[in-house]
Amino acid sequence: MPPLLSVVVPAYNGTRLLPRTLDALYASDLPKDCWELIVVDDASTDGTSELASRYADVVVRLSGRPRGPAYARNRGFEAACGEVVVFVDADVCVHPDTLRRFAWIFARESEIAAVFGSYDSAPPAPGLVSQYRNLLHHYHHQQNGGDAETFWAGCGAVRAHVFEEAGKYDEWHFPRPQIEDIELGHRIRSLGYRILLRPEIQGTHLKHWTLKNVIITDVKERGIPWMRLLLTEGRTSTMTSLNLKTIEKVNTALVGLALLSVLLAAALRQPRWLGGLALLLVPFVTNLDLYEFYRRQRGLFFALQVLPLHIMYYFLNGCSAILGYLLHHTVGAPGPAPEVQALAELGVKTWPPIPAKAKGSGWLRNG
């Protein structure tokens, strides 16, 4: 009998973190005959494939240059046998009950097409930025359980036939880790299917964040692409889930105005413009629950240190929205990579644009 779940883990140069991720999967309390493990090696230059072969039922080896998680996950899906495909990032350690909870939901709630969970409240990476960032993700998902407009591939699952019907991840437009899972969620919802966020389904995020990669991720890899996607779909005013709630949009605008007042005070040498900093009181008051969460988790001093980081979070959101708007109205909607565009102009219409089994690639099925 085919397994109920096919767990797909995309990895690039994953020998450092992948053993912890795969060990966590094998510590699951769901019997192994109910799920299979597929690891996709996205053209790694280390021993990722050899390491994965000690754990996985299937190892998909991709050659050439890395093509990103959208492409890798699609290739993993093509090797899958399960009724439900579970996507787990290579730096996420699922909890022992994660797979069982996925299986339980899909077995009992036939109207649900996709489900995703949350990071837990115990990220191991040290440092203020890493702890702030990973706990922020945990907090948002814990506060927003229920029906969702998007999908999350860090620890998420979707029925195989729905994933196929939706067209899989858009590897044409997302050759890097960006918002390929969010965009997939939009397509699943547009087909009339339901997506659930279940906060009790959790995994530990192993990623170490620095201030630099927070800025790059929030602006270049997430914020700008997300804004351009919403503008392309005409949904900037209708999306209200997670960090797109109305109060979050208001806080982003107020932080921008407060910082603008500082610039005006400096440029005009008129201290009265600094009164605009009072606008920061609104984001502070509306986020008291978040700061209390940080205090409970890491103490008062940590919660105080978080304040400027959270102001920066809103500032980056504002920058992303402005830059995304300008790009949309000057360059237009995002286009695929040049090689993909060339294939399309030659009349290649199959999905994906590059053959699944390129030269030098292949599947290795253990057992």
Side-chain angles (χ1 to χ4, degrees):
M1 294 292 292
L4 172 63
L5 306 180
S6 293
V7 182
V8 175
V9 180
Y12 172 70
N13 288 349
T15 54
R16 185 174 65 88
L17 296 180
L18 197 57
R20 297 172 64 180
T21 300
L22 302 184
D23 282 338
L25 282 166
Y26 271 88
S28 297
D29 56 22
L30 183 69
K32 183 59 180 67
D33 58 0
C34 295
W35 59 281
E36 65 174 349
L37 175 60
I38 301 168
V39 177
V40 185
D41 179 0
D42 189 15
S44 297
T45 57
D46 62 3
T48 293
S49 287
E50 291 73 16
L51 186 152
S53 66
R54 300 201 295 268
Y55 294 86
D57 300 291
V58 180
V59 177
V60 181
R61 297 171 174 171
L62 304 178
S63 63
R65 61 175 176 81
R67 299 186 181 277
Y71 185 88
R73 293 185 189 118
N74 285 348
R75 302 294 79 75
F77 170 74
E78 290 162 0
C81 301
E83 298 176 20
V84 173
V85 57
V86 179
F87 298 104
V88 176
D89 280 350
D91 60 359
V92 173
C93 293
V94 298
H95 286 193
D97 62 353
T98 295
L99 297 186
R100 174 170 53 82
R101 288 182 182 275
F102 277 134
W104 189 91
I105 291 171
F106 285 107
R108 288 166 173 77
E109 302 187 40
S110 59
E111 77 282 5
I112 301 302
V115 180
F116 63 96
S118 167
Y119 293 144
D120 64 19
S121 59
L128 174 66
V129 176
S130 286
Q131 291 288 305
Y132 159 74
R133 181 66 174 208
N134 289 322
L135 288 173
L136 179 65
H137 189 287
H138 169 81
Y139 176 83
H140 279 311
H141 278 191
Q142 294 299 304
Q143 299 298 311
N144 291 279
D147 284 274
E149 295 293 322
T150 63
F151 183 65
W152 179 53
C155 183
V158 58
R159 295 189 190 275
H161 73 89
V162 173
F163 186 65
E164 186 80 52
E165 182 182 351
K168 301 182 283 189
Y169 290 102
D170 185 356
E171 59 196 48
W172 294 66
H173 292 94
F174 301 108
R176 303 190 310 277
Q178 291 185 317
I179 59 165
E180 68 281 350
D181 48 358
I182 294 172
E183 192 272 340
L184 171 67
H186 288 191
R187 280 186 281 124
I188 291 174
R189 288 288 294 119
S190 70
L191 294 172
Y193 292 112
R194 286 181 64 195
I195 302 174
L196 280 185
L197 163 53
R198 296 295 290 263
E200 71 273 16
I201 299 176
Q202 296 187 16
T204 303
H205 197 203
L206 305 178
K207 182 170 181 176
H208 175 74
W209 289 93
T210 65
L211 197 59
K212 178 181 178 180
N213 59 30
V214 164
I215 294 171
I216 291 173
T217 299
D218 279 359
V219 177
K220 179 182 178 183
E221 307 297 357
R222 305 287 287 184
I224 292 176
W226 199 345
M227 185 62 181
R228 296 181 74 186
L229 174 65
L230 293 176
L231 288 167
T232 300
E233 296 178 344
R235 304 174 68 182
T236 52
S237 61
T238 59
M239 288 293 290
T240 58
S241 61
L242 298 178
N243 57 332
L244 290 178
K245 288 183 175 181
T246 300
I247 188 61
E248 293 295 283
K249 298 174 185 177
V250 170
N251 286 341
T252 297
L254 291 176
V255 167
L257 290 173
L259 296 180
L260 180 62
S261 73
V262 174
L263 294 177
L264 286 173
L268 301 177
R269 297 182 180 179
Q270 296 184 9
R272 63 187 179 88
W273 284 99
L274 290 175
L277 288 174
L279 296 172
L280 295 179
L281 288 174
V282 176
F284 175 76
V285 171
T286 57
N287 280 285
L288 284 176
D289 288 343
L290 172 63
Y291 303 139
E292 172 60 18
F293 162 76
Y294 280 122
R295 187 198 65 79
R296 292 195 310 269
Q297 293 293 322
R298 298 293 185 271
L300 178 61
F301 183 60
F302 181 89
L304 293 174
Q305 289 179 293
V306 155
L307 294 177
L309 286 176
H310 205 55
I311 294 299
M312 183 190 73
Y313 163 80
Y314 284 121
F315 174 71
L316 295 178
N317 285 348
C319 291
S320 300
I322 293 171
L323 292 172
Y325 181 88
L326 292 175
L327 284 171
H328 179 80
H329 288 282
T330 56
V331 178
E339 65 182 60
V340 175
Q341 185 64 41
L343 288 168
E345 292 173 358
L346 291 173
V348 177
K349 298 181 180 179
T350 57
W351 189 282
I354 299 170
K357 293 185 180 181
K359 184 177 179 182
S361 299
W363 301 351
L364 172 64
R365 180 173 285 275
N366 288 339

